[in-house]
Amino acid sequence: MTVTVCRFVSRLPIVSYAVAFSLLAISFVVPDSISAQSGSSSTARTVSMQVQSMHLLTTNIGWVAGKTNLLRTQDGGRHWGDITPSANAARSIQSVFFLDGQRGWVISSSTKTADNGSGSLFISNTSNGGQSWTSRKLAVSDEDGGTAVSVDFVDAQHGWIMFRMPSSSNFSLGLLLATADGGATWNPLPEPPSGDVVHFTSPSTGWLTAGAAHDQLYVTRDGGNHWQKQLLSSDLAQESAGSRTYQLPVFSSNKDGALAVFSNETGGSQLEVYSTHDNGVTWAVTKTMPLGDGVSRDVVSVVNADTLLVAPANREGLTAVAQGVQRTHQQIFSKLSSNQAVTNLDFKDDHQGWVLVSGGSCANWKSQCSQESHLFTTSDGGQTTTEITPQVTASAEGSFSTVTPDTVVNTTTKGFDQCAAGSVSQMQAWWTNTPWSYANIYMGGSNRGCSQANLTSGWINSILAQGWKLVPTWVGPQAPTSSCSSCGKMSSTASTAAQQGINEANAAANAASALGLNSPTVIYYDMEQYNGSSAAVQAFVNGWVQRLHQLGDKAGVYGSGSNAAADWAPIANPPDAVWIANWNGNTSVFGLSGLSDNLWTTHQRLHQYQGGHNETWGGVTFNIDSDSADGPIASR
């Protein structure tokens, strides 16, 4: 096994995402009546909007959000009005929530520039359907940035913002803020179980999926101050059998709700629908539906315990279920190319809803690649569909092309990481159709978060034969002061931590060898962000690096730039390379928060520049982090 040094260095504008608690009010008006193309000249080119999120509030009223545009419809999608907050300032939309047709909130970010020195987050709210907005700046930055994955309100006063903080795809770390005065002030809550989308059904009760694979469900009964794992069965053995993926529950009243769970068992997978009539205290299975081989990404929209729609990845047809009657229609799948897949469903009943189709293609081999989306509406459960994708000006869609995953150019040295390795066929589809050239794999360790059914020596041989390069990663004990409260920790005694680093290096090298990644190779240690400098971490990393060198391998470490500078650089045996999590949207491996450009200067850096998001290529959807490299990774 050889080690390849991937080189990609560029100096692009940096986006810094801020987390803040002090607020500055700014008001502006966006007329609801203007079209998506208003304000453009007669020669302005219009393009189909790249829809990133959507929601159908009623059978006629709904919204869609792209990178920089928020649009609203009052006639089911036949016409669209631009209701983007702060239309005169270039901002990237991160999260949208509407409580009803009038009251809504948007989290957006501005770009870091030479003038202001840092980016900013804004929360904007409207009480008249987007005709006017009030925008408040969230002004206190977090060093390594974060992404607002959800904003959620239960009434005009009580709301929450969930930020996913930088981490590897093996973890999901969150910062949860709450307001009780409509967003005038925001207070940080205790660390939540994960940094995923949160949904509250009352000022006290909220729901959250957790685990890197969304294999856990949590509930809070005190507004997010404390969370408890929600079991759907009293039988713990049954609860842990197979691999389960939870969606957030949907409630039609204070007590009545429904929950979709994907369960991968031996021989296939199935969808289980649970219902509750006591506000989620107890749940009972109301329906099961077989789905296929267990490796596909199926999409479901649950209306209530009796009504749901499923778009299976095997393209057998869009299935609507209502009151025990099941109908399957093929029409939407007959419109898809091999590169496209259904990535979102949003239905109000078993007939009326929206279907989002996404896909990507490259004009040249792993270059000039782009993602696209198409939005369809149906009023008969998918028997017939009509495209309603909004059109926007090309300049609006392209203004953030250098800092988003939607348009990627000249990316032959970019890669991705995801929690669980895809199948050989899925990886082949991505190798053929994507800009990505390398992928991360989590080989093992006591804190590995996802099961790895595909990760075998045969898989490694097949993936390398396809052309992929790999970033082997080990997830062992974390720092004593790690921000991951649920993780197993190393000893706080330096001498003990040093031996633990040696032990982890031995285990990682053995795992790599078992997978066919024989020395010399490179192995990265996943060390999540921790507070302050730590003598224990210094001793651990020194032992990790020294032992891998003795075994003939290179040693890398993943984590925070500030931790790398404080603890990994000054030790006797510093890592050969660092893989820094800094979600600034900039593909350069330099200019990283907390890390001097004078450290690890000679092709010794990887940069995770964007956190978890979905991409669809070759008809296959993965949730990935985006990376760029100028450092060692593994290849044949």
Side-chain angles (χ1 to χ4, degrees):
M1 185 60 56
T2 61
V3 176
T4 298
V5 174
C6 276
R7 301 184 60 184
F8 179 79
V9 181
S10 65
R11 299 284 183 173
L12 300 178
I14 298 176
V15 174
S16 175
Y17 300 114
V19 177
F21 314 117
S22 63
L23 306 170
L24 174 64
I26 306 170
S27 297
F28 47 87
V29 175
V30 181
D32 184 52
S33 59
I34 67 173
S35 70
Q37 294 82 31
S38 70
S40 60
S41 68
S42 59
T43 59
R45 183 171 63 93
T46 61
V47 296
S48 294
M49 183 180 186
Q50 177 66 35
V51 177
Q52 296 184 330
S53 58
M54 66 182 194
H55 186 49
L56 191 58
L57 293 163
T58 69
T59 54
N60 290 314
I61 299 175
W63 58 263
V64 295
K67 292 175 293 202
T68 56
N69 296 89
L70 176 63
L71 306 183
R72 183 176 188 262
T73 180
Q74 299 185 91
D75 56 12
R78 291 189 295 274
H79 301 89
W80 296 93
D82 191 326
I83 60 168
T84 310
S86 189
N88 296 325
R91 293 181 185 167
S92 176
I93 294 174
Q94 292 195 8
S95 186
V96 179
F97 177 80
F98 271 81
L99 187 63
D100 50 39
Q102 297 300 307
R103 295 175 292 179
W105 293 263
V106 175
I107 306 294
S108 58
S109 62
S110 65
T111 308
K112 179 177 180 178
T113 66
D115 294 330
N116 64 25
S118 64
S120 299
L121 274 175
F122 298 83
I123 180 166
S124 306
N125 68 282
T126 180
S127 58
N128 55 15
Q131 293 184 50
S132 62
W133 295 85
T134 297
S135 180
R136 295 182 173 93
K137 184 179 179 181
L138 304 174
V140 179
S141 299
D142 178 84
E143 178 189 287
D144 293 316
T147 300
V149 295
S150 70
V151 54
D152 187 64
F153 277 76
V154 295
D155 54 41
Q157 299 301 312
H158 297 88
W160 296 261
I161 303 174
M162 176 67 83
F163 294 91
R164 179 177 295 147
M165 307 311 291
S167 67
S168 74
S169 54
N170 184 79
F171 297 96
S172 179
L173 306 179
L175 170 66
L176 184 60
L177 308 183
T179 181
D181 55 15
T185 58
W186 291 90
N187 299 308
L189 297 177
E191 182 182 331
S194 76
D196 291 295
V197 175
V198 65
H199 177 57
F200 280 76
T201 57
S202 75
S204 58
T205 302
W207 299 86
L208 173 67
T209 59
H214 294 170
D215 55 355
Q216 303 165 35
L217 180 67
Y218 279 79
V219 62
T220 179
R221 304 290 182 183
D222 60 4
N225 286 286
H226 301 87
W227 295 87
Q228 302 82 39
K229 185 178 293 187
Q230 176 71 59
L231 297 179
L232 304 183
S233 168
S234 59
D235 184 351
L236 295 179
Q238 176 183 338
E239 192 79 0
S240 61
S243 175
R244 300 161 73 89
T245 302
Y246 295 88
Q247 290 199 334
L248 288 174
V250 175
F251 282 82
S252 56
S253 71
N254 289 336
K255 293 186 176 181
D256 301 313
L259 171 66
V261 180
F262 292 101
S263 178
N264 293 331
E265 309 291 346
T266 302
S269 65
Q270 65 180 9
L271 171 66
E272 301 170 346
V273 180
Y274 290 79
S275 65
T276 181
H277 301 290
D278 55 13
N279 195 24
V281 177
T282 60
W283 297 85
V285 176
T286 59
K287 182 173 182 59
T288 60
M289 180 186 298
L291 292 176
D293 58 11
V295 298
S296 301
R297 185 182 178 90
D298 306 287
V299 181
V300 62
S301 175
V302 176
V303 179
N304 54 52
D306 299 314
T307 307
L308 67 145
L309 291 98
V310 182
N314 60 18
R315 301 184 183 224
E316 290 183 350
L318 180 64
T319 298
V321 179
Q323 303 298 326
V325 178
Q326 183 169 313
R327 308 183 313 275
T328 300
H329 303 297
Q330 186 64 36
Q331 200 252 17
I332 186 65
F333 288 102
S334 67
K335 295 184 176 184
L336 305 189
S337 71
S338 59
N339 284 336
Q340 296 175 318
V342 173
T343 54
N344 200 358
L345 298 174
D346 191 16
F347 276 74
K348 302 310 296 180
D349 53 40
D350 62 316
H351 287 82
Q352 185 72 43
W354 286 351
V355 181
L356 184 64
V357 171
S358 304
S361 60
C362 298
N364 295 305
W365 177 248
K366 293 197 175 294
S367 66
Q368 296 179 310
C369 304
S370 62
Q371 295 269 293
E372 63 176 5
S373 63
H374 300 273
L375 184 63
F376 295 87
T377 185
T378 180
S379 58
D380 52 20
Q383 183 174 351
T384 58
T385 57
T386 302
E387 183 166 1
I388 57 170
T389 310
Q391 298 291 300
V392 295
T393 59
S395 59
E397 275 295 276
S399 61
F400 277 79
S401 61
T402 59
V403 295
T404 68
D406 302 303
T407 303
V408 185
V409 180
N410 297 328
T411 57
T412 55
T413 53
K414 288 183 181 176
F416 72 93
D417 57 284
Q418 65 172 337
C419 190
S423 68
V424 171
S425 62
Q426 289 174 326
M427 293 296 287
Q428 181 64 66
W430 269 50
W431 175 254
T432 304
N433 295 285
T434 74
W436 312 122
S437 296
Y438 65 87
N440 155 270
I441 54 169
Y442 291 103
M443 299 187 302
S446 58
N447 281 310
R448 186 172 71 172
C450 284
S451 60
Q452 301 287 350
N454 293 319
L455 193 54
T456 64
S457 59
W459 184 91
I460 294 289
N461 286 332
S462 297
I463 298 310
L464 292 175
Q466 289 172 2
W468 290 103
K469 296 176 177 61
L470 299 172
V471 182
T473 309
W474 189 256
V475 197
Q478 297 296 299
T481 59
S482 170
S483 58
C484 179
S485 60
S486 61
C487 294
K489 307 291 179 64
M490 69 183 66
S491 173
S492 58
T493 302
S495 58
T496 304
Q499 185 59 51
Q500 289 175 320
I502 294 171
N503 295 343
E504 294 299 315
N506 287 330
N510 289 336
S513 179
L515 289 172
L517 298 173
N518 299 313
S519 298
T521 189
V522 61
I523 305 174
Y524 285 81
Y525 193 93
D526 185 341
M527 185 75 72
E528 294 299 310
Q529 184 177 22
Y530 55 92
N531 299 322
S533 180
S534 169
V537 174
Q538 291 181 351
F540 182 96
V541 172
N542 192 74
W544 164 263
V545 175
Q546 185 178 35
R547 182 55 181 158
L548 282 182
H549 285 175
Q550 292 171 351
L551 295 172
D553 292 323
K554 288 184 177 293
V557 181
Y558 165 96
S560 160
S562 58
N563 292 152
D567 285 347
W568 315 343
I571 59 179
N573 295 281
D576 299 296
V578 291
W579 178 13
I580 302 301
N582 186 191
W583 295 353
N584 59 14
N586 182 359
T587 55
S588 174
V589 298
F590 292 97
L592 305 181
S593 179
L595 183 64
S596 168
D597 286 349
N598 295 323
L599 296 172
W600 290 284
T601 60
T602 312
H603 316 308
Q604 296 172 287
R605 293 184 175 210
L606 278 63
H607 176 201
Q608 185 186 74
Y609 61 87
Q610 184 175 15
H613 62 281
N614 289 340
E615 291 192 14
T616 302
W617 304 89
V620 175
T621 303
F622 286 155
N623 185 271
I624 67 168
D625 300 329
S626 300
D627 303 279
S628 56
D630 182 16
I633 58 178
S635 67
R636 284 191 179 279

